[in-house]
Amino acid sequence: MMMTILTTGLFFTGVSEAQTNKLITQNSVGPINIEMTVAEARKALAPMTLSRSSDGEGIALIAVKKGENEVMTLYANEPDASAPIDENAMIEQIYVWDETYKTDAGVHPKMEISNVVAIYGKVLEITLSEIESREYATFENQLRGMAFRVRGAPTAGNYAENERRATRFSRGAIVSAIELRRTHYPNENSEDIVPEFRNYPATVENAIATGITQTDEPDSTTYKDKLNESLQNGVNFAGHFVLSTWGCGTDCQSSAIIDAQTGNVLFPTQIGVTSFGAGGLKDKQPLQYQSDSRLLIINGYPTTGDSGKDVRAGAWYYEWTGTELKFIKFVARNETKVNDETKVSEDTPFETFWPMFKSAVEKGDKEAVAGFSRFPLSMPHGWNEVKTEADFIKNYDSVFASQSIDAARCFANAVFEKRDDHYEVPCAFKSEPVNSERKPWVYHFELASSGWEFARLDNTNE
């Protein structure tokens, strides 16, 4: 489930309490809003009930029901759809199904698209996803931060053969749900938002144990002296723990965690053998941790993957529970770049990178463009996922040369724009003049340790 999210809010006046309780704004629905915890939402929505649900992809969701009717669905980035609801999880997306909830302009679920057009302007595009065949419509003047899921018989969009994008809609097609999304919510591998040490606080305590407690684990005997030495150096992780490390060969490190209160030694599988130093990770410490935080970051390859993921080079984020490492997030890192004539490095200025990237796009050199890109690539909501270079090449035209995008034409005279720590190149719809003031397609470029990379394509009309 890809989620590019915006939370800009609006301030309304002259709205009655009854209307406010069912008002949809850019970051709220009635009494709840994006970034509220599940527990807060449960209290605000009472007497409606919250219960565990999931979609066809197995994504953990929360159904909000009034009696037997599902009024809305919440997404709170919970990792396991079979687990109980995490009351402390933060709401990152809200789907509104009930037609009694409306925007200030009167748009609501179950409204015909033709009537929405009268309010939010013409349909710019309707897309049909491969996963569960979901359809989304983008309107000319819709509010930023909202997405409109639509449906029709048999589809909402009138698609040409083998196409998944259309600008015409079928008679009687309706908005099935209005979705709100958290600002720049990334896919699971995006670098936009990553866990921070301050999000996982721990109270630092003095070490009490004077030596380690032997276990059945062979390494507790083999590395007894090293473990005791680390313990004597004091707490360095998660309040009252000591993270002890030692080398195991070239670009290889083994680790253990000691409870400084008891002397017990634990050997989490993920840090049994950590490989590091691959391409974009050469400038990173193999493990990052702090005495006052439960967060542990592995930069490289952990011993095993988590949550069904393959072991890949990247930043692996874990929370230490006191007995085990709980997987939080994975952010991929490229290990290699492209051939020598197109190689870039961390020191390459964007002004040097951009002509190389632009030239590759203008030539239609898919492999070269892929070499300048980060995978997985963050895509607009509802689009096909681009997790690998093979996915990228397969879906190349949808990113650079589709019915609504002509990147080569745009890039020929485009002016890149500096945005804090990244660059953006905005482009107009293919059907509109290249110098149109409206440029909804935005190509994002971010600096990795291996150089500048194409990291995300946004549709700002969503």
Side-chain angles (χ1 to χ4, degrees):
M1 178 178 288
M2 295 180 64
M3 304 165 187
T4 304
I5 302 164
L6 296 162
T7 57
T8 306
L10 292 180
F11 181 76
F12 297 93
T13 59
V15 179
S16 71
E17 183 178 355
Q19 289 174 309
T20 302
N21 286 340
K22 291 196 173 182
L23 180 67
I24 303 174
T25 75
Q26 290 163 294
N27 66 348
S28 65
V29 179
I32 69 169
N33 57 269
I34 299 294
E35 297 190 346
M36 179 179 278
T37 66
V38 174
E40 291 170 335
R42 187 187 294 277
K43 180 178 179 180
L45 290 167
M48 287 190 280
T49 61
L50 277 64
S51 60
R52 168 64 74 222
S53 66
S54 65
D55 65 5
E57 299 174 73
I59 300 296
L61 300 172
I62 301 168
V64 179
K65 293 184 176 182
K66 184 176 183 180
E68 294 300 316
N69 297 321
E70 188 162 351
V71 175
M72 62 186 84
T73 304
L74 312 179
Y75 172 77
N77 195 22
E78 297 170 279
D80 186 356
S82 64
I85 294 173
D86 182 355
E87 296 293 323
N88 295 316
M90 181 178 68
I91 297 170
E92 298 184 342
Q93 190 162 1
I94 305 173
Y95 306 75
V96 187
W97 309 99
D98 190 316
E99 66 269 30
T100 62
Y101 288 80
K102 302 178 181 181
T103 69
D104 69 321
V107 175
H108 58 82
K110 297 184 174 61
M111 177 179 277
E112 289 197 12
I113 293 177
S114 58
N115 293 329
V116 179
V117 167
I119 297 172
Y120 286 154
K122 69 179 182 180
V123 172
L124 298 177
E125 188 175 56
I126 299 177
T127 59
L128 175 65
S129 70
E130 290 187 356
I131 300 173
E132 295 191 331
S133 296
R134 298 172 183 147
E135 291 182 277
Y136 287 87
T138 302
F139 299 92
E140 185 175 28
N141 300 312
Q142 70 183 53
L143 298 175
R144 290 173 62 87
M146 289 187 185
F148 295 86
R149 188 182 293 192
V150 294
R151 71 167 185 262
T155 58
N158 289 332
Y159 305 98
E161 186 175 359
N162 298 322
E163 290 292 334
R164 290 184 172 272
R165 291 181 176 80
T167 56
R168 297 172 62 86
F169 55 90
S170 61
R171 184 185 299 273
I174 67 170
V175 171
S176 57
I178 297 177
E179 301 181 13
L180 309 183
R181 309 165 184 175
R182 182 169 175 255
T183 302
H184 290 306
Y185 177 73
N187 65 33
E188 65 170 359
N189 296 320
S190 171
E191 290 186 332
D192 289 343
I193 299 176
V194 295
E196 299 180 11
F197 289 108
R198 61 185 175 85
N199 300 140
Y200 298 86
T203 301
V204 179
E205 303 175 27
N206 293 326
I208 297 175
T210 57
I212 67 165
T213 301
Q214 295 294 118
T215 71
D216 294 334
E217 172 63 46
D219 280 351
S220 70
T221 300
T222 304
Y223 298 100
K224 177 182 177 181
D225 291 343
K226 173 60 181 175
L227 293 167
N228 276 319
E229 178 186 346
S230 297
L231 179 59
Q232 297 310 312
N233 289 332
V235 169
N236 62 8
F237 176 56
H240 63 90
F241 292 89
V242 176
L243 206 154
S244 178
T245 63
W246 57 91
C248 52
T250 303
D251 291 341
C252 177
Q253 178 175 281
S254 292
S255 308
I257 297 175
I258 308 166
D259 186 330
Q261 302 293 306
T262 65
N264 290 339
V265 184
L266 300 116
F267 294 86
T269 304
Q270 298 91 336
I271 57 175
V273 177
T274 306
S275 299
F276 58 95
L281 299 161
K282 288 184 180 295
D283 62 340
K284 300 288 187 180
Q285 290 294 322
L287 300 180
Q288 292 178 266
Y289 51 93
Q290 294 181 180
S291 60
D292 60 354
S293 176
R294 305 186 311 279
L295 179 66
L296 174 68
I297 307 171
I298 300 175
N299 292 304
Y301 299 85
T303 306
T304 60
D306 279 273
S307 299
K309 303 176 190 301
D310 297 326
V311 178
R312 293 173 287 163
W316 297 78
Y317 294 82
Y318 295 91
E319 177 186 3
W320 177 243
T321 67
T323 57
E324 62 181 359
L325 288 171
K326 177 183 176 182
F327 175 75
I328 303 172
K329 185 180 182 70
F330 169 73
V331 177
R333 296 284 193 275
N334 289 343
E335 293 183 62
T336 58
K337 293 302 293 183
V338 292
N339 54 46
D340 288 339
E341 57 252 25
T342 55
K343 187 175 292 183
V344 295
S345 71
E346 186 178 14
D347 299 325
T348 303
F350 188 81
E351 292 78 3
T352 301
F353 165 84
W354 171 244
M356 293 190 288
F357 182 84
K358 180 175 73 169
S359 175
V361 172
E362 290 174 340
K363 293 175 182 177
D365 188 340
K366 299 178 182 180
E367 288 75 16
V369 178
F372 288 125
S373 304
R374 174 187 303 164
F375 303 111
L377 184 67
S378 182
M379 300 289 287
H381 186 75
W383 285 37
N384 294 342
E385 293 185 335
V386 179
K387 292 184 176 181
T388 66
E389 182 172 336
D391 289 340
F392 180 83
I393 292 173
K394 178 181 177 182
N395 292 282
Y396 181 88
D397 286 348
S398 67
V399 181
F400 296 100
S402 69
Q403 287 185 329
S404 56
I405 301 175
D406 186 346
R409 181 190 74 153
C410 170
F411 290 178
N413 297 296
V415 177
F416 52 79
E417 302 173 359
K418 183 75 167 63
R419 293 284 188 271
D420 296 325
D421 59 350
H422 71 279
Y423 282 86
E424 297 180 0
V425 177
C427 292
F429 280 112
K430 183 177 180 178
S431 60
E432 298 184 356
V434 69
N435 61 351
S436 171
E437 290 186 4
R438 184 172 61 184
K439 294 181 170 65
W441 303 117
V442 181
Y443 294 82
H444 292 249
F445 300 86
E446 299 176 6
L447 183 61
S449 55
S450 53
W452 287 99
E453 298 174 327
F454 170 42
R456 184 169 82 244
L457 173 64
D458 272 350
N459 178 358
T460 59
N461 275 314
E462 289 191 341

